[in-house]
Structures are given as C-alpha cells and as structure tokens.
Amino acid sequence: MNTDKQLLTKTNIVVVGNGMVGHHFVEEMAKNPNYQITVLSAESRLAYDRVHLSEYFGGKTADDLAMTTPEHYEELGVNFKTNAKVILIDKIVQYVTTENGETYHYDKLILATGSYPFVPPIPGKDQDHCLVYRTIDDLEDIANSAKVSKVGVVIGGGLLGLEAANAIKQLGLQTHVVEFAPQLMGVQIDGGGGRLLREKIEDLGVKVHTSKATNVIEKGDTSRYKLCFNDGSELETDLILFSAGIRPYDNLAREFELTLGERGGIVVNNQCQTSDENIYAIGECALWNNFIFGLVAPGYAMAKVVAKHIDGITGENGDIAEFTGADMSTKLKLMGVEVGSIGDAHGKTAGSLTYTYENQPEGVYKKIVVSADKKALLGAVLIGDTSEYDTLLQYMLNAIELPESPEGLILPMAADKPTLGVDALPESATICSCHNVTKGDIIASIDAGATTVGDVKSCTKAGSGCGGCAALVKSVADNEFEKRGVEVKKDICEHFAYSRREIFDIVSVEKIKTFDELLEKHGKGLGCEICKPVAGSVLASVWNDYILKKPHLSLQDTNDTYLGNMQKDGTYSVVPRIAGGEITPDKLIVLGEVANKYNLYTKITGGARVDLFGARVEQLPPIWKELVDAGFETGHAYGKSLRTVKSCVGSTWCRYGVQDSMSMAIDLENRYKGLRAPHKIKFGVSGCTRECAEAQGKDIGIIATDNGWNLYVAGNGGMKPRHADLFATDLDDETLVKYVDRILMFYVQTGDRLQRTSVWMDNLEGGLAYLQDVVMKDSLGITDVLETQMASIVGSYQCEWKTTIEDPEALKRFKPFVNSDKGDSNIQFVTEREQIRPARGQEKIEVTLIDTIENDTETADALAEEA
Amino acid sequence: MTTTTNKAWRTICNASDLVKDSGISALIADATGEDEQIAIFHIPNSEEKIYAVGNYDPIGQANVLYRGLVGCIDDEPVVSSPLYKQHYSLKTGRCLQEEQTISVYDIRIENEQVQLFY
Ligand SMILES: Cc1cc2nc3c(=O)[nH]c(=O)nc-3n(C[C@H](O)[C@H](O)[C@H](O)COP(=O)(O)OP(=O)(O)OC[C@H]3O[C@@H](n4cnc5c(N)ncnc54)[C@H](O)[C@@H]3O)c2cc1C
Ligand code: FES
C-alpha cells in the first residue's frame, strides 16, 4: 500500500468561504484524490443555495436549501470547519489563521469569500429592524422583524431589491421600494422596460418611489421609523431592508497585500490567480478584467478553471484553462412578472439599432438591439413575456446571423416566426450556463449511453442550477435522440407501439372497454405481462370497473388478481386500510384475533398500518370476510394505487399543531383510495412545519401553516429519494383538494408505466412551472375534465375485497387446485421470535399429503410498503 | 395413492373450470405416485389453445406459475413467473432468460372435459 506516500505527497488546498462558488470548487477538486482539501466557512452552516434563498419564505427550510452535508464532505474526504472566519494570511510561510486561533498550512489557497450587501452611510442605519438580504440568518431576522412590523421598505430597486420586496410582501407587510435612480433595475433593463416593470409591480400593491435619496432615518410618527428624503418628502416604515448593491469581501486581500481593484475586488488573471501565484480568488470576491460577476454561473466557471490549473490539466489543444469572462444575461420572475435581459440591453454599442414592441393592455415590452448591419443580435430586454429568451440568447451567444427582418423575433403574430431550431446551434453553444454545459456535452453524454432526458441531466448536471435551461436541454436532447433514430421510443412492449399515455388517450377517445378490443384494434400477438397490467390500470382509471370483472381478470398481475402481495413462497400478505393510521382499539383487537386465528406473521409497516403475512391463497377469502365484517376495507397494498396517507395528530392533540392534519389525512385517504395510477402513490400530512409526517418525501405532501396548507408534489423516499417541490402555499381545504384532484388525474393520464411522480416530474417538459400552469392557471383547458374524471372515480369506489367475497364465481379462483382440496405442501413455516417465517430450503421436510397446514409468512413486502 | 401406473389421457376437470387467458392448477400423482402440481392455461386465440406445464417455478422455488400472466414473446406463447417475471415457453418449457426448463404435458379438451396425458 502506498497510502503513506500519498499522504506525504498530497497537496494541501485551503478554501476560505463555503458559498456556492467555494462549494463548487470543492466538488470539482475533490474528484482528484491527490489533494487534501480544507474548507473554512465563516457561516454557521455549510454551503446552501443562495440563488433560491427567497424560497425560504415559501416554506423551504435551511436543509432544503443546503447544497451539501457534513456526511457528503466526509465521503469526499474533505476537512471542514464552520464558524471559522479566516483573519490572517501568511503568504511567506503559507498558512491562514481563523478567529478561533486555529492555523492551517496551505500549498494553494482559494479565496471564495463572496460579497456582502452594501449599506449606504445613512445616519440611523444601524438600528434594530434595519436589515439586509444575503444569508439564511438574515432571512430569519427579517421573518422575526416582520412579525412585529406592518410596513416595510426596501432601499434599492435592483434585481435583488425587488426580490427582497417580494419576500416582505409575502410576509404580509405593506411594501415600498425606494430607488435612487429614475428607474427600476437600471443595470439590466432600459427606460421603457423599467417603466412597464414599475407599472406591473405597482399593480401588485408595492409602492415604488424612484429618484429618491435618503438623508436620514428618524423615529417615525405613525410607524417605528421614517425615511427623510433629500426632496423633503418622508416615508413611514417599521422595517428597513438595504439592497443597494454588493461589495466584494476583499478585506483579507487588503490587509495582507494582494492587489485590489480601484473600487475593490481581488484582482485575478485568466487563471484566477491573485498577485500571489499560490493564492486564487473566485466568485463574487474576484475582479477579472476590472469586472465583478454577481451571478453564480461565472463563479462556477472560475472554480473549474482553478481546479484544472492547480492540477496542471491543459485543454485539448494544449492551452491552459482560462476564464474568459461570462455572459450576464438573466431571465427571472419578479413578483410573477417575467423579466429578461440579454447582453447589451441599453444599446450602448456604437452604431447599434433597436426594435421595440410594446403592448400596454397586456403589459408586454420587448426590445432587441442589433448591429449596424442588422446581422447580429447584441442585446434584448423582455418584460411581461420571456418566451423568446432562449432563442434570442442563442442568437447572441453563438453569433448566429439574424433573419431578414429581425423584428419578427419579437412580434407576437409574425406569420413565419423565425424560431431557432436546436439543430441550428453549433456544438459549442452553451445550453446550461450554470454548469457550463454545451450542446456538445449533451451529445457526448448521449454517445456515452444516456437514453433519456433524465439521464442527460444527471450525467451533465444541466438544469440543476437555476433551472432556467430545462426546456432547452430537453429539446436539444430529444432532437439528438430523434436524429439517431433512437426515436425516443416509448412503446411499452412488442405488442403495442404506444406509450402508456397514448394508450390512455386511445382508450378514452375510442371508448374501448376491454383488452381484447384494444389488442385487436391497436396491438398484435397475445399481449404480455407488461401491456396487460397497463391496459388493466388504464381501463380501471378510465372506467373504474370492478377490477376482477371477467374481461379484466386475465390482465391483472397476481397481486391484483388475488388482492394481496405475493411473497417469495407463494403466500400473500393481508393489509387492510387504516386511513391516516387512526384505528379504534376494537378494530386493533380484530386484527390481532384474525392474525392469531390464521397464525399470520404480524408487522407494523412504515405506512402506519398492520401487515399480516403468510396467508395461503385459499385462506384469503375467509380472512377478508372476517375483516370486512369488522368494518375493514382493502388497503390496496398490492395495487399501483394510493397506499397510505401518513400523518401526525395535528392541532387536535399536539401543542404545536396549527391545523387538523388528522382529519385532512383521513379525508384524503378516503377520497383517493382505489384510484389506479402508473405506480403507487403516497401522501403525507403534517400539522405544522415540524413536519413529523415527512410529507416532503411523499408523492403528495401537505404541511399545515397558520393560514392553511402548503402543498408539495413529487417527493419520494425509497431507492431514489427526491425532495418534493413546493407547489402552492396557504391553500384552504377546498382549493387543496381541487389541486390534488387535478394533479393526480393529470399524473394518471400522462405518467408512463411504473413511473413514480418523482420521475414523472423530472421528465415533465417545463417541470414544476408547467404543472402549476396546468393545474392553477388551466393552461391546457383541461381542469374541468380532470375534476370530472376524478369525481367519477371517487363516486364509483368499491372495496374490491367486499365485492369479491360476495361473488361465488370470483371465489373459485382462491381454490388451490381445480381437482383437489389439498394445500400446497411446499409452503412450510418455522418459528422465529414467536412468529412464523417461511422455512428455508434445508428446513423443509418432504411432505406429500397435506390437508390444511397451519399457516405461513413473509418479509420482502413490508419493505415495498415502506419504500 | 397408487404406485406405478401406465400413462393415459385422464380427465382433470370440466372445460368450464378454465379461465380464459389465464391459469388454473391441478394436482396429479406422477408415475411413482408422488404428488405433482400442474399449471393449465387456456388461451383461445393461440394455436394450441390449451397448455399444461409444471406449476413449480425453479427460479423462484415456489408453486406459483399458474398465477402468472400469459402472453407471447416473438410469437412463442409464454407464462411470466409472478415472482421474478422470467418467461417460460408453454410449448417447450424452456425459460427464455435463464438456463432452466419446466416440464410440459400433453393436454386436450374432449367433450367439454379437460384431459391430461400422464
Ligand atoms: C437573494 C439572492 C438572489 C440571487 N439570485 C441569483 C440568481 O437568480 N442568479 C444568479 O446567478 N445569482 C443570484 N444571486 C447571486 C449569487 O447568489 C452569488 O453570485 C453567489 O452566491 C456567489 O457565490 P460566492 O461563493 O462567490 O459567494 P457567497 O455565496 O457569498 O459565499 C461566500 C462565503 O464566504 C464566507 N466568508 C467571507 N469571508 C470569509 C472569511 N474571512 N473566512 C471564512 N469565510 C468567509 C461568507 O460568509 C460566505 O459564506 C443571488 C443572490 C442573492 C443574495
Ligand atoms: S442555466 Fe441554470 S441550471 Fe442551466
């Protein structure tokens, strides 16, 4: 082993600051085992997603925003310290010292200290309730202050200021924005755009004050404070939020003599080295070409360059990796207003020409800036509608020649709108700027075996930053799949050249009621174990017929046929529904009695119900008869359908609960039980943000708030955990159920076979925003249909077990042999921890004659139930 | 139970006991008098219409094949094991995914009676 040698030769890299960029550097550098990385973070937590910081007010927690965990860093072999602000750099001996007096030697030092909010030197700025917007701690302060405030003012009307204004408005404050310049977002958009943006924002109830400089903050007359402006006017407010720009954290560089820019920022070269060759600076503290980049994507690019430079990796043609600047175009939604800014938005390039389109009634403003010869796009401003953003950006980034009449690019009804096919993009075109993924990278990932858009995303990381590129990534990938004739093949099997969704459409449109009819009209052969259950599930969703009716019987998996989960020895498990996990003592006793009588292995599942294992086929009907008589219903543990709604007791019992989560959970479980879907569905309902029901790991998650319910979708635990997406906040009961109806029905219609909601969401073109549009804005005009379908399914629910035990024909199937009353001699049990379990090979005894053996067991399914 | 017997067509059940496009199981005594479980499938749209194979799944090691879904793979009629989903040919007993074979029996419908040759 050469570990000792490796230890000795490992290069020590110390990273100061664990913001988004510092963290990205760690991820890049840790790929290479020859380096020992130490991270020193001034904040109390490891890196989190600052770009999505505002979602903290939308219900996301610090954990949700986290970009890494201590465990993950440990896995990477990275040393780290939080609350470890660096206060000293010794460039000669090469070490740094933290506030706590700890010292770390470095071979290479990375400054990724980011920036801090600039607070203008206004007298009175240092009082309580005068806050900034940069860290999670800041947001906690704002939330606390908002609780005792009525009016809030944001000083600064730039991009971040408007985001902050939105946040305090959501916290229920009467909101004002004060801007020194004559317009909002002066950096990114022009006067025309600024005017429209202001109108739109004022329509939303935020007061905008432009051309105002604040002289002093004084004690207020009606509120806590008042701002006194230089024009003599005043504004009363309780909370003040400064968002007047950012300043690089360059104090270390200043004190320890690294070259700084005139107006601050640590000067770096194209390799991001500072004036000391062993010290690099990346992210928002670095000044490159006299410019500070206030976005993550350029910071990530710098991080990559440094990782390569340290490792001495040269480019393909022998060049040393270089940072060559970055595009600062942005697209975002501010208080629901779409805003896009590309390149030279102000038309400052000499000789440039502009085209402007404005539609006041609709609140849309678009401008493009083109070169004097009208061949190249230089910049653009889009307000109110950013649908052309991707196309315009690609024109600019790739210097693609503009069409004859460039105005067609932004005119709404231009006859043959020149949309830029992804085919036209060069391989070097950047598709995802957050992770610097080019069209060529996407193609390479497909060459390397990616077969779905999901694969492409996980190989290249495209789309996992701001998410703005998701639609483009998908069309580039799909285009490539199509070209290769991989022809995004969705045929479910050799018998049907259709996806589940297409089969769903065929069945509903042609009113097909049996598999035979479907096979005859649209398939071939005899069908198989793939298409038959799909057809069964679709027929059940569309017509909700009793699943064991003759024509459907042969379509069901054994689990659906015998209404239980088959275990490894051929016995079944019995899982009655216990809605929300609430059960009376009497019913609990019945479960115990039945389990005793039939000698069933008994286990409590992760879904808060009781699983009884080891029932032989012939025992299922008598067991279920007893259960149904005692008021139980089937739990559908065997079906691709609603499993459980996990919940806590909520405001009824819990000291912290804010809503009655128990009643909500039971109502929801009873509403959706029996619904057939592409895969199983789980819900969670928590009575407060402590989230005891782990709702954010469920397909549908609901968390009580003071004002109603927050709705989460597409979470998953199990094999591939996925954190649910926040779908809507503060819903009342009725709206909540309405949205869930629509979401579930849309999933039932469009999901692929065996696709959980998590994967469905990841593959949904347009993602969460698209689903929100479909469900909340009815963008497809189908919400009525979805609700009607759900109503009919809910209305025609029947307990399959009740129906079965009342039908002598159906009961015939539970006879083990058509010509004998014996049982299966291969099913044998032994006792373990006072219960049965299946006998293993050598434990089995040769038996030929058995009339009724006692009973049986199994395990694998308790797991399936929990996953 | 009788010991050694000569093979012959023996009636198992009525044709009405069959379930279309699905399976049932039967218990017979093999040549040495041992109990043997048979899976019988009725697929009216296929060439042979009725098939009989051993009920024991040698991969899953349980008597469950009659509860599998039937269909065809490349025109070969098959049953898919309900445990781990391997396909067994109903004509030859061969497993399409692994080196395993199950026994195959001659079976016919005569005068509304299902008869097996054993
Ligand atoms: C509300 C908000 C919204 C944003 N939205 C977007 C967006 O939509 N798109 C976009 O591209 N960008 C956005 N940004 C900007 C983006 O977040 C920054 O560009 C990015 O976080 C910069 O990363 P960084 O690592 O350079 O700095 P930071 O994330 O600021 O991290 C620097 C870290 O270093 C620590 N540090 C400083 N000095 C020391 C020291 N001496 N010792 C130890 N640690 C130290 C700091 O405490 C901090 O934790 C947004 C920013 C905010 C605040
Ligand atoms: S551009 Fe931000 S995730 Fe791709």
Side-chain angles (χ1 to χ4, degrees), chain B residues 36-41 51-70 76-82 86-106:
Chain B
E36 181 101 15
Q37 296 191 20
I38 310 293
I40 300 169
F41 299 100
Y51 306 84
V53 295
N55 190 32
Y56 187 72
D57 173 358
I59 298 169
Q61 302 188 355
N63 291 309
V64 292
L65 288 182
Y66 82 96
R67 291 180 235 158
L69 278 169
V70 292
E76 178 96 356
V78 293
V79 60
S80 150
S81 162
Q86 295 89 354
H87 297 109
Y88 295 95
S89 162
L90 295 179
K91 282 184 173 168
T92 64
R94 195 172 51 85
C95 174
L96 304 191
Q97 286 81 24
E98 291 179 39
E99 287 285 311
Q100 289 285 356
T101 308
I102 53 175
S103 36
V104 188
Y105 299 80
D106 287 328

Side-chain angles (χ1 to χ4, degrees), chain A residues 464-532:
Chain A
S464 61
C466 67
C469 61
L472 192 58
V473 172
K474 180 167 161 47
S475 42
V476 171
D478 280 349
N479 178 56
E480 196 57 31
F481 288 138
E482 244 159 64
K483 269 208 259 169
R484 299 174 179 218
V486 181
E487 165 220 326
V488 196
K489 201 175 165 214
K490 300 225 184 69
D491 304 4
I492 53 169
C493 66
E494 64 179 73
H495 308 106
F496 287 94
Y498 300 102
S499 65
R500 181 184 184 278
R501 167 167 203 174
E502 287 163 336
I503 290 181
F504 194 103
D505 290 343
I506 290 171
V507 165
S508 359
V509 172
E510 300 183 18
K511 304 215 177 335
I512 291 177
K513 302 232 170 169
T514 65
F515 179 73
D516 283 351
E517 189 183 346
L518 183 67
L519 190 69
E520 192 190 324
K521 290 190 179 155
H522 299 281
K524 57 172 193 246
L526 301 173
C528 66
E529 83 282 1
I530 294 175
C531 56
K532 284 181 171 180

Side-chain angles (χ1 to χ4, degrees), chain A residues 307-338:
Chain A
K308 281 196 184 143
H309 189 242
I310 291 182
D311 201 35
I313 301 174
T314 48
E316 274 152 39
N317 45 13
D319 295 343
I320 298 171
E322 279 190 329
F323 179 73
T324 51
D327 175 54
M328 296 292 285
S329 302
T330 23
K331 175 174 80 169
L332 66 163
K333 227 181 191 170
L334 285 168
M335 310 191 203
V337 183
E338 295 181 3

